[in-house]
Amino acid sequence: MQIGANSLDLLPETLVSLGCSFPCVITDKTMLELGYVAKVEALLNQQNINFGLFTDTMPEPNDTSILAAVEMVKTKQYDCLIALGGGSAIDSAKAIALLASHGGKMSDYKVPYQVTEISLPVVAIPTTAGTGSEATKVTVISDSATDEKMLCMGSGLIPAAAIIDYQFTLSLPSRIAADTGIDALTHAIEAYVSRKANLFSDQQAIAAMKLIAPNLIKVCQQPDNLKAKEAMMLGATLAGIAFSNASVGLVHGMSRPIGVHFHVPHGLSNAMLLPTITEYSLPGAPRKYAECAMHMGLVTVIDDQTLAHQTLINELKHINQTLNVPTLAEFGVVKTEYEGLLTNMAEQALASGSPGNNPKIPVLNEIIELYKKVWL
């Protein structure tokens, strides 16, 4: 990992350290418009590094959106990928590297399959402080035929290198800063309370909460606050490391089907769910949720767990209100369509495996009731 302002300048030497000399940049049209692709191109040109460029990754990528890039990478025989963008671009690059190296289709690799195959190296350059995908063994790619968000996991999906330069987040619109920031906070909390949490993941999650909680609202309301931007960027990466080693829980399990069926951006659907699902889950890990309140700087001691819990829930609601997170109804989800898909979404949530890591493990009907609760 190269971390800090201007760490992008270290891209050429990072490629050398990986033994790579013919990269393909995987990105999207927004990165092109913002001039970020030009920055990467200039660095590579200065060092006379030949490269390819694919700019057609899509938000919430599906298995067909990556096929053209897979073919391009195989045909041109690039020796690594540079993933420039948010979680969607990085997730796409991981999937492209996997399919270009080993063939098959994405559904072959979804959980419970463990991706241990070593693929083309990916150098991840995140431009949002959110998904943490630059540091995780996870990619999420939708099945275009069934609308299922396929969760693929395994050590073979961890990027070979990451460049964590917070200056890429300075031009983020406040809506994207809010959604990706709440996504990062969700990662930290869910990793900390996960049934798969361990001493290592706990340390990353604690550090992430301490960085994210005091700065989440600041980065949205004060886009020029460089210290807050830097803290959020590092916090998001640490949260990624935390959940990559401890998994996420019910919030993510329920969030993915909402994203697929109603095209709600991933971070935003997490935000819609976080207060309600946290409140539901409290009895499963009362002490750890109280500790979340403490690590987020909301309480100084946790002698009174009930007070710590209430303070935590109030803060999660306050974040949503302050950052104008809409309910599903306000987002424009049609109630009859939503209700018609409740059972299907609950089944998809359970099938992802994430609810099984939750401190309080739900059954199908409980998930349906929780979906009903968050609509308004």
Side-chain angles (χ1 to χ4, degrees):
M1 283 187 178
Q2 310 286 8
I3 298 171
N6 301 315
S7 55
L8 177 66
D9 295 345
L10 300 172
L11 174 61
E13 69 181 65
T14 301
L15 293 175
V16 170
S17 74
L18 297 172
C20 298
S21 58
F22 190 31
C24 183
V25 180
I26 306 294
T27 188
D28 59 43
K29 294 289 193 291
T30 302
M31 296 298 106
L32 205 58
E33 290 161 11
L34 288 172
Y36 292 163
V37 174
K39 284 186 177 183
V40 171
E41 287 177 333
L43 277 170
L44 297 174
N45 286 329
Q46 281 167 21
Q47 300 298 318
N48 296 313
I49 298 171
N50 291 324
F51 61 92
L53 179 62
F54 180 82
T55 61
D56 288 331
T57 64
M58 63 180 275
E60 315 290 328
N62 66 29
D63 51 0
T64 57
S65 71
I66 58 175
L67 291 181
V70 171
E71 198 54 42
M72 177 181 166
V73 170
K74 286 198 301 191
T75 304
K76 302 276 188 175
Q77 296 187 309
Y78 298 108
D79 61 9
C80 69
L81 305 181
I82 297 171
L84 175 69
S88 295
I90 299 173
D91 276 9
S92 294
K94 291 178 179 183
I96 292 161
L98 179 64
L99 295 186
S101 301
H102 302 287
K105 51 191 187 294
M106 280 314 295
S107 57
D108 298 334
Y109 299 102
K110 69 179 182 179
V111 293
Y113 187 89
Q114 284 293 304
V115 181
T116 55
E117 295 88 345
I118 303 301
S119 301
L120 283 174
V122 173
V123 178
I125 308 175
T127 58
T128 62
T131 69
S133 186
E134 69 277 2
T136 74
K137 58 180 180 183
V138 178
T139 187
V140 179
I141 305 290
S142 296
D143 186 322
S144 54
T146 65
D147 276 349
E148 176 194 358
K149 272 203 171 186
M150 297 181 290
L151 183 64
C152 304
M153 294 184 75
S155 56
L157 292 170
I158 301 173
I163 292 174
I164 318 296
D165 189 338
Y166 70 88
Q167 290 176 317
F168 279 115
T169 69
L170 299 184
S171 58
L172 270 187
S174 60
R175 178 73 270 147
I176 295 175
D179 297 347
T180 54
I182 298 173
D183 189 22
L185 181 61
T186 306
H187 291 154
I189 293 172
E190 288 209 296
Y192 193 65
V193 302
S194 167
R195 288 171 176 266
K196 292 183 178 175
N198 54 70
L199 286 172
F200 175 76
S201 63
D202 279 357
Q203 294 310 307
Q204 313 309 311
I206 290 167
M209 283 186 269
K210 287 181 175 178
L211 287 165
I212 294 167
N215 292 297
L216 176 51
I217 291 174
K218 283 182 192 171
V219 295
C220 301
Q221 296 183 340
Q222 304 166 24
D224 297 329
N225 188 328
L226 299 188
K227 283 192 172 179
K229 290 274 188 180
E230 185 172 23
M232 276 297 296
M233 192 67 158
L234 182 56
T237 298
L238 291 171
I241 295 171
F243 91 78
S244 199
N245 286 278
S247 296
V248 286
L250 182 56
V251 176
H252 274 76
M254 291 178 62
S255 172
R256 295 184 199 107
I258 290 174
V260 167
H261 293 290
F262 300 104
H263 307 292
V264 181
H266 173 69
L268 184 57
S269 58
N270 276 349
M272 292 169 169
L273 291 160
L274 186 57
T276 299
I277 304 308
T278 301
E279 196 162 20
Y280 162 83
S281 304
L282 288 172
R287 181 175 180 83
K288 276 209 141 179
Y289 276 114
E291 289 170 354
C292 285
M294 183 173 69
H295 298 314
M296 288 169 63
L298 308 176
V299 296
T300 52
V301 292
I302 54 168
D303 298 340
D304 186 341
Q305 287 189 4
T306 304
L307 176 63
H309 292 165
Q310 197 53 58
T311 306
L312 175 63
I313 301 303
N314 288 346
E315 177 64 11
L316 297 179
K317 290 177 179 176
H318 169 68
I319 289 170
N320 280 9
Q321 287 164 359
T322 305
L323 300 182
N324 300 313
V325 172
T327 63
L328 283 157
E330 290 165 347
F331 185 80
V333 173
V334 178
K335 191 174 185 182
T336 50
E337 285 181 35
Y338 184 71
E339 288 177 341
L341 283 166
L342 288 176
T343 302
N344 186 14
M345 290 197 299
E347 287 169 348
Q348 289 177 342
L350 283 172
S352 75
S354 297
N357 306 320
N358 208 57
K360 183 179 176 183
I361 300 178
V363 295
L364 185 75
N365 284 340
E366 286 180 298
I367 296 179
I368 291 171
E369 290 306 312
L370 288 167
Y371 271 133
K372 289 178 183 174
K373 198 171 180 182
V374 298
W375 184 77
L376 273 176

